[in-house]
Amino acid sequence: MNGIDDKTVVRDYFNATGFDRWRRIYGDGEVNTVQLDIRTGHQQTVDTVLAWLKADDKLSELTICDAGCGVGSLSIPLAQAGAVVSASDISEKMVGEAKERAVAIGLPSNPSFSVQDLETLSGNYHTVICLDVLIHYPSDQAMDMIKNLSSLANDRLILSFAPKTFLLTILKKIGEFFPGPSKATRAYQHREAEVVRALESCGFKIQRSAMTSTRFYYSRILEAVRG
């Protein structure tokens, strides 16, 4: 499956059956054991990034791009903390859900939401964040996406991705990495060294890193700043 096909699959999936499934996972309603584990892992990743940004004590001064915002799990708390947030997602339904959630808690205009994919995003922001998106794309396309995201970030880029390690590759092969009932797009792992090289080629250096690991959710988080 080539990159274009992967993007079409992702868009169609998150505008159809995937939307209902992942809206539940990223919500607070009842889900099965696997989905609850993934919800917990994703929230830990979001909490790690929020903690990094809040530790810098400048959120109210920042413009932030949340690329691949889903239902607003990160965009909304960032806006609540005072940041000016531009959020986007490839899925129109996800963006619609994120807007509804923001309006419901009194955030009608910040974050601002749009339907876009990572390769067509434009603009300039202090910080660009892309969480749990690169897993949907093969390495060559993911590296191109990282380069475009880097061009939007004036100071900092934060990424999360499923790391390619021997253990996780084995788990994935035997069906324990991302079980079918909870995910229906291809799950691509990426070598951390390759991601770091892509960032460094765009003038960034790694400042902080973390790993989220639950039973069914694995995510490496990198914060890169302009060197």
Side-chain angles (χ1 to χ4, degrees):
M1 183 180 291
N2 60 38
I4 295 176
D5 287 338
D6 278 293
K7 187 157 61 175
T8 300
V9 168
V10 171
R11 180 186 294 111
D12 291 348
Y13 174 69
F14 283 103
N15 276 325
T17 58
F19 169 69
D20 291 328
R21 180 175 296 141
W22 288 90
R23 179 177 57 177
R24 290 196 304 272
I25 291 175
Y26 293 151
D28 54 11
E30 185 175 345
V31 290
N32 65 38
T33 301
V34 172
Q35 292 170 335
L36 179 60
D37 182 87
I38 294 172
R39 174 192 290 173
T40 299
H42 176 74
Q43 189 59 51
Q44 287 176 9
T45 294
V46 169
D47 289 343
T48 295
V49 172
L50 286 171
W52 285 351
L53 296 177
K54 289 178 179 179
D56 294 340
D57 198 28
K58 295 180 180 178
L59 264 179
S60 62
E61 304 173 15
L62 300 188
T63 56
I64 297 178
C65 171
D66 183 10
C69 66
V71 297
S73 303
L74 177 65
S75 298
I76 291 172
L78 284 175
Q80 288 175 312
V84 178
V85 183
S86 296
S88 61
D89 198 276
I90 196 172
S91 165
E92 183 177 355
K93 282 196 172 183
M94 285 290 190
V95 168
E97 176 71 14
K99 286 181 180 179
E100 289 182 9
R101 293 188 182 194
V103 170
I105 61 171
L107 298 172
S109 58
N110 181 37
S112 62
F113 292 99
S114 63
V115 180
Q116 287 182 278
D117 62 63
L118 300 189
E119 293 165 305
T120 61
L121 281 173
S122 60
N124 293 106
Y125 308 90
H126 178 280
T127 298
V128 175
I129 304 172
C130 182
L131 301 184
D132 293 352
V133 176
L134 298 178
I135 191 171
H136 301 299
Y137 300 100
S139 181
D140 56 347
Q141 191 173 13
M143 296 310 115
D144 286 342
M145 290 175 171
I146 289 172
K147 290 177 182 178
N148 186 52
L149 294 174
S150 296
S151 73
L152 312 181
N154 293 330
D155 291 87
R156 174 171 50 192
L157 176 58
I158 299 175
L159 302 171
S160 75
F161 56 94
K164 188 174 182 64
T165 66
F166 177 76
L167 175 59
L168 297 186
T169 298
I170 295 299
L171 290 176
K172 181 175 181 290
K173 286 182 178 179
I174 64 176
E176 295 179 7
F177 186 44
F178 274 101
S182 295
K183 190 178 192 319
T185 65
R186 288 191 175 188
Y188 293 97
Q189 299 164 278
H190 302 292
R191 296 187 185 280
E192 183 172 344
E194 187 175 2
V195 174
V196 171
R197 281 197 297 270
L199 291 166
E200 290 177 344
S201 72
C202 296
F204 286 82
K205 61 181 180 180
I206 304 302
Q207 177 167 275
R208 284 182 284 205
S209 65
M211 180 73 187
T212 303
S213 178
T214 65
R215 187 179 178 189
F216 297 110
Y217 176 99
Y218 300 87
S219 186
R220 186 67 165 164
I221 316 165
L222 298 178
E223 178 190 54
V225 296
R226 288 208 173 271

